[in-house]
Amino acid sequence: MRARVGSVAAALTLLLAGCSAPAPAPREDRAAPLVLPNGYSDPGAEAAFVPECNTLAGREQYNPRRTLNPAGLTRDAAGTPTGAKLAEIRKKGLVVGVSQTTPLLSRRNQATGRMEGYEIDIVNRVAAELFGGPLDPDDSRLRLVTMPTGSRLLALDTVKNREARQRDPELAEVPEVDMVIADVTLTCSRVFTHDVMYSSPYLTTNAGILTRTGAERRASLADLRGRKVCAASATTSIADLTAARSDTGILPVSVPDSSECLMLLQRGLVDAIYTDYPILQGLRLQDPGTTLVDLRGQGGGEAGIAMSEDHQDLIRFVNGVLAEMRADGTLVASRNRWFVDEVRAAGLGDPGTPLDLPPVGYVD
């Protein structure tokens, strides 16, 4: 009997051992993959170096302040401005390259679906003067095409841009526009590289720094030694950061569009954003949990509407509209609405006084 009991107990022990699951193997700890925006560059990607802009003759030939006098615009018997490009636009409509990710300057209102901002006010005035009266928001004669910061000027129909498209098939995807208004700083290198001519300036800026609120106070680039600072690729801002690297010890990184820097800042992947102050004002509206430092007297520059240098009638026409807006006060009124009133209304403190527009000069 004892033998039988022992046999049964042994059998039960073996059965239980066979039915029990093996101990799980220890799991290897794996961090979530780091996802960065397409086009992220560390170190930051500057525009191609243009040696011509380092010579006196080159700076004169490709001077970005050279623009055309609206008084030279031809008119018909009724006084309507004429020209080949203006006639083409009246027939097919006006196509303008803008940003939709820079609040205050140019952004799509999520509630209405309409584009709004300082630059959009200027575009609407140009269209109204061109087509004989204000256009409804859905009027097909005005088409706004959103463009990433780094490739915006490639959308203009110029000789050098056409050559670039032939060399690089991927550029075929860049839409073609009649003008670009997207806080494009006037630079010699852009005139040389893209065969553009700017309008008279509609905005004067300086640089600024945007950091996360609660981080150590950083009032200058020198306070960011050893830290990653973000700007848009191929812009004057990333050029500033690269030039300041040796003296300040910062680590410049870049992305195709300035708005992507905000995402990197929010995720803690960069410590600051450096770009034109009005752009940073808009980014702070998107994320009030940030701190903005105004670097008066540093960086920035003058922004103008970029057009093909071949479309001289359009350049003169746009300069005429900007001259009217300066004269009747609507340019300053729009600027103050967006960069002063809107910032105050958002409860983000005193925005300060926007920089004055520079005097206008024409080459003819």
Side-chain angles (χ1 to χ4, degrees):
M1 184 68 178
R2 288 180 182 175
R4 289 182 61 190
V5 171
S7 299
V8 171
L12 287 173
T13 300
L14 291 172
L15 180 62
L16 290 173
C19 292
S20 61
R27 280 188 175 183
E28 179 183 352
D29 290 335
R30 286 183 292 180
L34 181 62
V35 179
L36 295 169
N38 290 332
Y40 173 85
S41 180
D42 182 2
E46 289 187 83
F49 175 69
V50 177
E52 288 81 359
C53 291
N54 280 352
T55 68
L56 183 61
R59 287 194 296 271
E60 176 61 28
Q61 181 177 356
Y62 304 108
N63 181 358
R65 291 297 305 276
R66 294 177 69 254
T67 193
L68 301 176
N69 195 327
L73 194 62
T74 59
R75 298 176 182 271
D76 62 17
T80 303
T82 60
K85 186 61 180 178
L86 293 177
E88 176 191 319
I89 290 173
R90 290 190 179 104
K91 182 177 180 180
K92 71 174 181 61
L94 176 64
V95 185
V96 184
V98 298
S99 169
Q100 71 169 355
T101 57
T102 50
L104 304 179
L105 283 164
S106 173
R107 183 180 69 164
R108 190 174 302 280
N109 185 309
Q110 297 301 313
T112 65
R114 296 173 181 171
M115 298 292 292
E116 62 182 22
Y118 177 54
E119 292 176 332
I120 301 303
D121 287 350
I122 295 173
V123 170
N124 287 336
R125 178 66 175 267
V126 169
E129 297 290 340
L130 186 57
F131 294 111
L135 273 59
D136 292 332
D138 299 326
D139 195 312
S140 61
R141 290 177 293 177
L142 174 60
R143 186 159 64 93
L144 304 179
V145 179
T146 57
M147 325 218 54
T149 305
S151 60
R152 53 198 164 172
L153 295 184
L154 286 165
L156 294 168
D157 181 23
T158 70
V159 172
K160 288 186 177 176
N161 282 347
R162 288 194 293 270
E163 292 173 350
R165 287 171 182 265
Q166 290 174 355
R167 290 192 303 269
D168 185 352
E170 291 187 4
L171 295 181
E173 299 178 3
V174 178
E176 190 172 294
V177 301
D178 300 310
M179 62 179 71
V180 174
I181 177 168
D183 188 27
V184 185
T185 304
L186 280 62
T187 69
C188 169
S189 60
R190 286 172 174 160
V191 173
F192 173 86
T193 303
H194 298 288
D195 281 343
V196 301
M197 182 174 280
Y198 291 97
S199 69
S200 57
Y202 64 85
L203 181 66
T204 305
T205 70
N206 56 264
I209 299 173
L210 192 71
T211 60
R212 295 186 300 277
T213 299
E216 181 181 348
R217 174 72 175 174
R218 287 149 182 163
S220 69
L221 289 176
D223 295 335
L224 289 157
R225 180 172 295 276
R227 305 286 185 171
K228 288 187 175 183
V229 184
C230 185
S233 305
T235 61
T236 55
S237 296
I238 194 63
D240 288 348
L241 293 181
T242 302
R245 181 173 186 170
S246 59
D247 291 337
T248 62
I250 59 171
L251 305 175
V253 301
S254 67
V255 286
D257 195 87
S258 302
S259 62
E260 294 171 310
C261 285
L262 181 60
M263 179 270 290
L264 294 176
L265 182 70
Q266 292 168 331
R267 293 171 58 193
L269 299 177
V270 300
D271 295 277
I273 305 171
Y274 172 93
T275 189
D276 291 350
Y277 187 75
I279 293 178
L280 294 178
Q281 285 182 295
L283 295 181
R284 189 169 181 236
L285 280 179
Q286 288 183 282
D287 187 349
T290 53
T291 298
L292 177 56
V293 175
D294 188 356
L295 299 178
R296 286 274 168 152
Q298 299 181 43
E302 300 167 1
I305 302 172
M307 293 162 277
S308 168
E309 66 177 9
D310 294 333
H311 301 156
Q312 296 193 2
D313 55 332
L314 179 61
I315 296 167
R316 293 184 191 278
F317 181 85
V318 169
N319 278 341
V321 174
L322 290 173
E324 290 177 2
M325 294 183 73
R326 282 180 179 240
D328 65 20
T330 53
L331 194 63
V332 169
S334 175
R335 182 197 66 186
N336 291 343
R337 173 199 168 187
W338 291 104
F339 300 118
V340 178
D341 299 343
E342 289 287 328
V343 174
R344 282 180 177 154
L348 297 179
D350 184 5
T353 304
L355 297 177
D356 291 334
L357 292 171
V360 176
Y362 305 113
V363 296
D364 58 348

